[in-house]
Amino acid sequence: MKIANFIAWIVLLIGALNWGLVAIFNWNLVSAITGGVAVIATIIYCLVAVAGIWLLIVPFIDRGKISLWD
């Protein structure tokens, strides 16, 4: 579960960085990386959503903690 949590944190940070860039500079990092291919961008957005949902439910699964290093 530690690996899943770590991957979820990384994906969530990438999503947060993307939305920060959209808000501040009106520049979409995901569109720039994917070259404007909508299907790939949608997959990336879905992965960010799944990572966020995972990090919301994992404390209930793991008795109230999100374990990365312990």
Side-chain angles (χ1 to χ4, degrees), residues 10-11 13-15 17-19 21-22 27-45 47-48:
I10 297 297
V11 171
L13 287 174
I14 291 169
L17 174 65
N18 182 59
W19 286 113
L21 289 171
V22 169
W27 184 68
N28 193 336
L29 178 65
V30 173
S31 291
I33 290 172
T34 61
V37 179
V39 173
I40 298 172
T42 302
I43 291 170
I44 292 172
Y45 291 136
L47 289 174
V48 171

Side-chain angles (χ1 to χ4, degrees), residues 52-68:
I53 292 168
W54 173 257
L55 290 174
L56 281 173
I57 65 170
V58 78
F60 298 105
I61 296 170
D62 204 17
R63 292 185 287 263
K65 62 179 178 170
I66 298 177
S67 59
L68 288 176

